[in-house]
Amino acid sequence: MIGHFDPKQYARNTAHDKDLGTPFPVQSLGTALVNLEIDGITISVPEGTSVLRAAALADINIPKLCATDSLEPFGSCRLCAVQVEGRRGMPASCTTPVAEGMKVTTQNERLAKLRRNVMELYISDHPLDCLTCPTNGDCELQDMAGSVGLREVRYGFEGENHLESVKDESNPYFSFDPSKCIVCSRCVRACEEVQGTFALTIDGRGFDSKVSAGQDEAFMDSDCVSCGACVQACPTATLMENSVIDHGVPDRSVVTTCAYCGVGCSFEAQMKGDKLVRMVPYKGGDANHGHSCVKGRFAFGYASHPDRLTTPMIRESIDQPWREASWEEAIGFAASRLKAIQAEHGRESIGGITSSRCTNEETYLVQKLIRAAFGNNNTDTCARVCHSPTGYGLKTTLGESAGTQTFDSVMKSDAIIVIGANPTDAHPVFGSLMRKRLRQGAKLIVADPRYIDLLKTPHLGEAQHLPLRPGTNVALVNALGHVVITEGLEDKAFVTKRCDTEAYQSWREFIADPRHSPEASEAITGVPAEAVRQAARTYATAGNGAIYYGLGVTEHSQGSTMVMGIANLAMATGNIGREGVGVNPLRGQNNVQGSCDMGSFPHELPGYQHVADPIARGRFEAVWGVKLDDEPGLRIPNMFDAAIEGTFKALYVQGEDIAQSDPNTQHVEAALRSLDCLIVQDIFLNETAKFAHVLLPGSSFLEKNGTFTNAERRINRVRKVMPPVAGKQDWEITQDLANALGYPMNYVHPSEIMDEIASLTPSFTGVSYEKLEEYGSLQWPCNAEHPEGMPTMHEFNFPIGLGRFAITEYVATEERTNRRFPLLLTTGRILSQYNVGAQTRRTDNQHWHNEDVLELHPSDAEVRGVRDGDWLGITSRSGQTVLRARLSERMQPGVVYTTFHHPGSGANVITTDNSDWATNCPEYKVTAVQVERVSQPSAWQQRFNAFDQAQRGYLAKAQQEAP
Amino acid sequence: MSTNNDANLIHMINQIAANLGGGRDEEAAATATCRHLETFWARPMKHRLVANLELEGVEFSPLARRAATLLATRLLERQSITR
């Protein structure tokens, strides 16, 4: 009987903790099964499966060293040799594909002798220090020596060997000990196949072969990005985490979700008691499939950093020292302040900010506290300053505020457009997946003012760069749309069937106007017309066209318009509703998607249900037992304006550092100083906390239970691996505050909060902790119609029925260059640091980026007499700051770039109040500036340093005085 | 009294009107702008904006003024319904 391969069934039956030796043969999807016999056992596997993998699936474990199922087979160690009936010799089972009727023997005298001989050669050049070796008990070489029954090494150890090779300890997180290397090339292949960096190579030939980072450089001096894939792949102690060298092999492991970027990688937190020894990317994680980056894999030390807040603190005014308080006293103090302020200034005088780093359950609870206990809708979240235009733009056009695909979808893309995103730095694990697809031949188009690293990926397809001027995205996307329409590249069948005809006709007429032609927009965007035409043709005709975008799209005065422009382009070319295509926002923080889903925005209840919708609101009122306001509340920038004006008096901030991350710092500081009561719940004394009256010590992701939702709408479990440092998980703190305000909350476990979310949110009705345990993760919508979730959206229709094209008129930003401010500043991220850096600055990631610098083009530097490393004063209409110069040809002349990972850099002192017209998302990406050489920090920086020192002193004093 | 906050609100509505104005006739654009404010703006912001219609020297763009006037009518209607 011929069985057909069912990938779903297969995935469920495959244990993730077992290494099957070679990867699943992707090319075999949908093909017939092959039957063979291994050691007398009959097994059916998909075509293309290796004999090694087939055997492992039948629980026959052939010894192996150079093979692992995350890498393509290599056939170098010869340990996995087998015999096949009717064939000569002893082929390596990792490179031998199965064949119908094949009869394989994996164990007999001849094979055993061969394997012992192979091992004997390996061990003759390997130190025999197993008892003091860091991988003792967790070493594949040791296991294999045991498995093949190696008893003696006849060659002795005196011959030529590598035992005296010098260790490379340049990387802060792992060591490279070449004396233990067996040159299996797993690290080299992992760097190439999994990470796509090609930093490692095998240097020399024959006996001299050795693993080398770059051109025989130290790891830290090479191209290595410290993703850990090589450490993960190494079967010996050659590449080893320093934390394991220091603390020994972990004894238990809990699967949880990374708290850094929006990729949402699954990790095994490997523990010794309460001590987290290492984070190992989890093979069963559907977002990352066992890969990781330097942040998630290694930068977890912040959780146990001495700066962690461990006790609640209170004070009357921000010019006073802190005083340690019990939880009860601090919560009581906060509640009485909030009540008094509302009594004096009215119900709408207070509000709160939910965290895009906390769990869904915690975010849900904060907005519930605000809506139900504060009695207003003054709730907002960090997404305001990053992806709120995505919410507006995608909801308007496609009907749902979320990306349309899974990450894996990129493996079916033929043309990939990346706009205003830098995946290799900001979403590294997805960046690696994209690079893998590019190496298979997909075409790449990058629209970005900078020449980002993705363009340097070695790959088969062509790479097109559209180096547009900051602030001209909409002109560019309109030009792309113009080419699609005027050159007849649209997918008429898709548009007719799936989109609103009237809206399409209006858009078609609008976009066909010659003012949108690439030739006409060249003067605006600076991108040669022919390059735009070429890009539009590539995207529209390659087959599957996918668009990925980041904050370079949203953080503009026309962020929302640009998102709609992208959706127009995808609909017009029929690139929606199947794998390999789609519109994909790359989310910045771990739970930005979740915080938006959970009703953090002032106008929307959980599940994007408008507060003015009486039916939706009624359901919440029934469950929450209170009357809810039917008018939207204030957004973050509106809160600041109202605070400065004196009508907004108190703010509860959960896990967000608005004083560092929001634009026009001096304006934010003025707003925070105007508050009568600022309650900050965070794991550190962040910049915002320095303006606070109540400090509530929060918990890191390692200390709590809950869920995060990543950029592909995937709900992943966060599992508690250690007790909260300050005694409470964040949801418990919010619950206590609600109770103190007289609004009862009595959750015992976050699963109960999720049950409430599911009961009120149509796209979550099928979600429960039980189901998450069963499936590992779920992509919403997950409800009666889609009980297993929905990996690809809009396959048959849009949530609004027909897709709606939007008119996207280009309106130039008001932020213009002139003689006083001749350069454009754009801001972004770097691989090793995360967001405001509160976490990564407290880890060894500092070795890569311990200060923010200003990148500028050599020609801009030359006319100003600036040399690399000079101190530069950067002045905008908002303020001035001083950073070190770094000359870089990644920039185009006239554009300068910096990051905002370090608070003292004051990158946001210069960014302005300009914002997206629809959502008030700040225009971080366009600021007109002038730069000049200076000799001292700016006035703001001097004030910042003084304030910072005073505030740290107030905290230290309270901690010393504590009984 | 017109404050910095008022100036921001005027700036915001002008920007919204400019973005929703393109490709539509003026009435549709004014309706769209008004609907945007109703959907996304907080109650105090709407009332502050409408109060500015009465003041001299406030720099509403023509489309923004029309949208704000429409909003004023809608707010009045709403109040009469709630009463």
Side-chain angles (χ1 to χ4, degrees):
Chain A
M1 189 193 82
I2 295 180
H4 277 275
F5 172 63
D6 174 7
K8 258 186 200 159
Q9 193 61 35
Y10 186 85
R12 293 269 191 97
N13 293 343
T14 310
H16 295 298
D17 47 6
K18 181 168 178 177
D19 184 349
L20 301 172
T22 64
F24 171 73
V26 184
Q27 70 282 4
S28 70
L29 279 171
T31 59
L33 292 174
V34 172
N35 304 293
L36 71 158
E37 206 179 276
I38 305 176
D39 294 347
I41 296 170
T42 307
I43 177 169
S44 305
V45 291
E47 204 182 320
T49 303
S50 70
V51 169
L52 178 64
R53 185 178 173 98
L57 287 167
D59 222 10
I60 297 166
N61 301 310
I62 304 172
K64 60 179 177 53
L65 275 172
C66 73
T68 183
D69 61 8
S70 58
L71 302 171
E72 292 302 319
F74 197 55
S76 85
C77 76
R78 314 308 293 181
L79 208 57
C80 70
V82 292
Q83 284 185 306
V84 181
E85 194 179 285
R87 294 195 194 178
R88 292 197 312 192
M90 292 183 276
S93 59
C94 63
T95 50
T96 305
V98 294
E100 187 64 36
M102 190 183 230
K103 285 193 172 139
V104 181
T105 304
T106 73
Q107 193 65 34
N108 60 28
E109 258 320 300
R110 234 184 115 199
L111 287 166
K113 192 173 167 203
L114 173 77
R115 288 184 190 138
R116 270 197 297 274
N117 285 342
V118 169
M119 275 313 289
E120 190 177 357
L121 280 164
Y122 274 125
I123 300 304
S124 71
D125 189 12
H126 193 86
L128 296 182
D129 61 352
C130 290
L131 287 180
T132 52
C133 177
T135 48
N136 187 16
D138 186 25
C139 172
E140 291 182 41
L141 190 67
Q142 197 178 42
D143 294 348
M144 289 307 122
S147 165
V148 305
L150 182 69
R151 296 292 170 260
E152 60 171 339
V153 176
R154 291 164 296 172
Y155 309 106
F157 297 91
E158 286 76 37
E160 204 180 337
N161 60 52
H162 299 88
L163 302 180
E164 301 301 321
S165 307
V166 182
K167 276 190 198 177
D168 176 347
E169 294 177 319
S170 61
N171 186 294
Y173 294 120
F174 62 84
S175 298
F176 174 59
D177 181 356
S179 72
K180 297 194 166 159
C181 181
I182 58 168
V183 204
C184 63
S185 295
R186 271 162 67 163
C187 54
V188 176
R189 288 182 286 146
C191 191
E192 191 175 306
E193 294 174 26
V194 180
Q195 166 58 24
T197 293
F198 296 76
L200 302 182
T201 188
I202 299 289
D203 207 19
R205 302 178 72 97
F207 187 78
D208 293 330
S209 303
K210 60 169 187 172
V211 170
S212 159
Q215 309 232 319
D216 209 10
E217 294 157 278
F219 269 76
M220 280 302 270
D221 301 333
S222 74
D223 287 341
C224 168
V225 292
S226 196
C227 68
C230 57
V231 180
Q232 183 76 353
C234 182
T236 70
T238 310
L239 283 156
M240 194 68 216
E241 294 94 345
N242 290 342
S243 59
V244 177
I245 296 176
D246 292 344
H247 302 290
V249 177
D251 51 37
R252 69 186 173 99
S253 150
V254 181
V255 175
T256 191
T257 306
C258 180
Y260 283 118
C261 78
V263 177
C265 296
S266 298
F267 276 89
E268 287 177 41
Q270 299 195 346
M271 313 289 298
K272 258 179 130 58
D274 278 349
K275 166 110 193 131
L276 177 58
V277 177
R278 67 176 164 187
M279 293 284 273
V280 176
Y282 178 51
K283 241 167 42 173
D286 289 316
N288 59 320
H289 306 296
H291 191 35
S292 62
C293 78
V294 62
K295 292 185 287 262
R297 181 124 178 19
F298 296 117
F300 53 81
Y302 70 87
S304 50
H305 194 277
D307 283 354
R308 279 292 300 272
L309 297 171
T310 56
T311 320
M313 303 263 176
I314 54 176
R315 61 181 173 181
E316 287 296 325
S317 95
I318 67 164
D319 305 319
Q320 284 177 0
W322 287 101
R323 181 166 72 74
E324 286 198 349
S326 68
W327 274 108
E328 204 182 351
E329 187 186 7
I331 297 275
F333 179 84
S336 65
R337 281 292 193 94
L338 293 174
K339 280 198 255 187
I341 289 168
Q342 277 192 313
E344 191 184 340
H345 300 279
R347 189 164 51 85
E348 289 171 336
S349 62
I350 68 174
I353 298 177
T354 75
S355 177
S356 294
R357 297 181 195 164
C358 283
T359 63
N360 284 317
E361 293 75 6
E362 288 165 343
T363 300
Y364 172 86
L365 226 53
V366 172
Q367 62 87 34
K368 178 177 177 180
L369 168 89
I370 293 162
R371 299 185 201 277
F374 290 6
N376 62 46
N377 289 321
N378 292 334
T379 168
D380 208 351
T381 187
C382 161
R384 176 64 51 210
V385 300
C386 65
H387 267 292
S388 52
T390 292
Y392 178 90
L394 294 188
K395 192 160 187 176
T396 307
T397 48
L398 309 179
E400 192 63 87
S401 303
T404 59
Q405 310 297 120
T406 60
F407 289 134
D408 286 349
S409 156
V410 78
M411 294 308 285
K412 294 195 174 160
S413 300
D414 301 305
I416 301 167
I417 305 192
V418 177
I419 312 176
N422 186 10
T424 54
D425 279 62
H427 303 88
V429 169
F430 176 67
S432 289
L433 192 67
M434 192 182 261
R435 284 180 153 178
K436 193 175 201 169
R437 182 60 189 158
L438 293 174
R439 289 197 301 277
Q440 294 174 352
K443 292 173 175 166
L444 173 68
I445 299 154
V446 170
D448 202 294
R450 294 192 309 148
Y451 193 86
I452 60 171
D453 285 351
L454 196 63
L455 284 161
K456 290 188 262 177
T457 301
H459 60 86
L460 291 172
E462 55 192 287
Q464 304 171 34
H465 184 207
L466 309 176
L468 75 173
R469 282 192 196 111
T472 63
N473 283 339
V474 173
L476 180 73
V477 82
N478 283 347
L480 290 167
H482 179 88
V483 177
V484 168
I485 294 305
T486 55
E487 295 192 7
L489 306 174
E490 79 258 56
D491 183 341
K492 288 195 179 102
F494 179 89
V495 173
T496 311
K497 190 170 163 217
R498 300 287 308 275
C499 302
D500 181 86
T501 318
E502 202 181 315
Y504 174 64
Q505 284 307 336
S506 319
W507 176 75
R508 208 173 184 285
E509 212 170 291
F510 161 82
I511 208 79
D513 190 289
R515 74 180 192 280
H516 299 308
S517 73
E519 290 71 21
S521 12
E522 186 173 331
I524 301 168
T525 61
V527 183
E530 196 41 44
V532 177
R533 288 196 178 271
Q534 183 59 36
R537 288 171 199 146
T538 303
Y539 170 70
T541 62
N544 285 341
I547 305 180
Y548 292 86
Y549 72 87
L551 305 183
V553 158
T554 55
E555 290 174 346
H556 286 277
S557 66
Q558 279 201 298
S560 292
T561 313
M562 181 60 185
V563 173
M564 296 189 287
I566 289 171
N568 288 343
L569 200 59
M571 287 192 289
T573 52
N575 278 315
I576 290 273
R578 60 180 189 278
E579 280 192 286
V581 299
V583 176
N584 303 279
L586 294 173
R587 304 278 182 163
Q589 300 208 43
N590 55 326
N591 203 33
V592 169
Q593 180 69 52
S595 71
C596 297
D597 302 341
M598 291 300 106
S600 296
F601 288 144
H603 65 288
E604 281 167 341
L605 293 159
Y608 306 99
Q609 306 176 81
H610 200 277
V611 291
D613 172 357
I615 298 166
R617 200 178 61 248
R619 286 189 292 115
F620 281 88
E621 287 174 341
V623 173
W624 292 357
V626 285
K627 192 101 185 106
L628 297 174
D629 194 343
D630 62 352
E631 286 269 5
L634 297 168
R635 299 176 280 200
I636 294 173
N638 311 144
M639 292 180 194
F640 293 156
D641 288 341
I644 289 172
E645 182 187 54
T647 53
F648 188 78
K649 289 291 184 187
L651 185 63
Y652 169 46
V653 184
Q654 177 201 43
E656 184 175 347
D657 195 359
I658 43 181
Q660 188 182 338
S661 66
D662 286 32
N664 193 356
T665 306
Q666 299 182 83
H667 182 236
V668 178
E669 288 173 352
L672 296 178
R673 280 180 197 280
S674 316
L675 295 172
D676 287 346
C677 179
L678 175 61
I679 304 161
V680 169
Q681 181 174 322
D682 207 282
I683 60 175
F684 296 114
L685 182 79
N686 64 17
E687 301 315 308
T688 310
K690 292 170 188 166
F691 296 89
H693 305 89
V694 183
L695 262 185
L696 302 173
S699 47
S700 77
F701 76 113
L702 297 166
E703 299 153 34
K704 58 175 72 163
N705 281 306
T707 55
F708 291 153
T709 307
N710 76 356
E712 42 169 13
R713 295 168 279 107
R714 188 184 299 286
I715 308 163
N716 264 319
R717 277 282 274 118
V718 178
R719 294 184 178 87
K720 186 174 153 189
V721 299
M722 54 176 76
V725 166
K728 284 183 195 286
Q729 302 178 43
D730 287 84
W731 61 271
E732 296 176 295
I733 305 172
T734 306
Q735 170 157 300
D736 288 349
L737 184 58
N739 286 323
L741 284 166
Y743 180 80
M745 286 190 190
N746 299 297
Y747 305 100
V748 180
H749 190 271
S751 63
E752 298 172 8
I753 306 176
M754 180 53 86
D755 292 342
E756 184 175 313
I757 295 166
S759 75
L760 290 166
T761 311
S763 50
F764 272 68
T765 52
V767 181
S768 68
Y769 275 37
E770 212 177 358
K771 203 156 167 187
L772 285 167
E773 286 300 328
E774 187 190 342
Y775 286 79
S777 67
L778 292 164
Q779 284 175 282
W780 69 258
C782 175
N783 47 29
E785 280 173 69
H786 311 283
E788 296 186 359
M790 191 195 257
T792 307
M793 291 194 89
H794 316 309
E795 277 182 304
F796 306 106
N797 53 28
F798 293 100
I800 43 172
L802 297 171
R804 201 166 296 144
F805 280 83
I807 302 291
T808 52
E809 187 72 59
Y810 169 66
V811 179
T813 171
E814 292 166 19
E815 185 68 10
R816 307 267 165 88
T817 52
N818 59 15
R819 281 174 59 188
R820 221 176 119 214
F821 303 111
L823 301 170
L824 282 180
L825 168 79
T826 182
T827 63
R829 314 281 191 279
I830 201 156
L831 171 67
S832 53
Q833 298 282 5
Y834 175 69
N835 202 273
V836 293
Q839 293 137 292
T840 44
R841 279 186 280 113
R842 291 177 172 94
T843 68
D844 280 325
N845 278 28
Q846 285 285 80
H847 285 276
W848 284 273
H849 183 85
N850 60 7
E851 67 173 320
D852 296 317
V853 296
L854 188 84
E855 285 185 41
L856 76 168
H857 191 273
S859 67
D860 288 326
E862 195 184 352
V863 295
R864 290 168 177 80
V866 172
R867 284 164 308 177
D868 204 73
D870 281 351
W871 287 110
L872 282 186
I874 306 128
T875 313
S876 74
R877 293 179 179 95
S878 290
Q880 195 201 26
T881 198
V882 173
L883 296 169
R884 227 183 265 280
R886 177 176 297 158
L887 307 196
S888 160
E889 294 194 352
R890 289 207 299 180
M891 312 306 306
Q892 42 178 295
V895 179
V896 297
Y897 172 84
T898 191
T899 46
F900 69 103
H901 301 303
H902 295 269
S905 307
N908 282 320
V909 174
I910 23 187
T911 54
T912 67
D913 280 331
N914 289 351
S915 67
D916 172 46
W917 65 271
T919 65
N920 281 154
C921 177
E923 191 178 36
Y924 289 107
K925 302 294 183 184
V926 191
T927 308
V929 297
Q930 176 58 297
V931 303
E932 58 186 346
R933 286 175 60 191
V934 294
S935 56
Q936 60 172 10
S938 73
W940 177 83
Q941 281 166 318
Q942 293 176 27
R943 281 200 307 278
F944 169 85
N945 286 333
F947 181 68
D948 178 55
Q949 271 188 0
Q951 292 297 329
R952 282 172 190 273
Y954 292 156
L955 186 73
K957 193 153 182 276
Q959 286 164 340
Q960 279 160 14
E961 279 172 9
Chain B
M1 185 195 72
S2 178
T3 66
N4 194 34
N5 195 3
D6 290 270
N8 276 344
L9 296 174
I10 309 302
H11 184 251
M12 281 159 63
I13 187 183
N14 285 343
Q15 202 188 350
I16 294 163
N19 274 280
L20 290 175
R24 287 187 178 82
D25 68 57
E26 204 188 302
E27 190 179 338
T31 311
T33 305
C34 175
R35 194 177 304 129
H36 185 93
L37 303 181
E38 287 187 295
T39 312
F40 297 105
W41 279 28
R43 183 187 293 109
M45 292 164 68
K46 291 177 198 164
H47 286 282
R48 288 288 291 269
L49 179 80
V50 166
N52 274 275
L53 282 170
E54 316 284 320
L55 303 178
E56 299 266 323
V58 179
E59 291 180 353
F60 280 105
S61 72
L63 180 57
R65 182 170 287 280
R66 192 164 162 181
T69 311
L70 190 58
L71 178 70
T73 325
R74 304 262 302 168
L75 288 179
L76 276 177
E77 277 169 21
R78 213 180 132 92
Q79 270 174 1
S80 61
I81 295 167
T82 19
R83 269 176 213 149

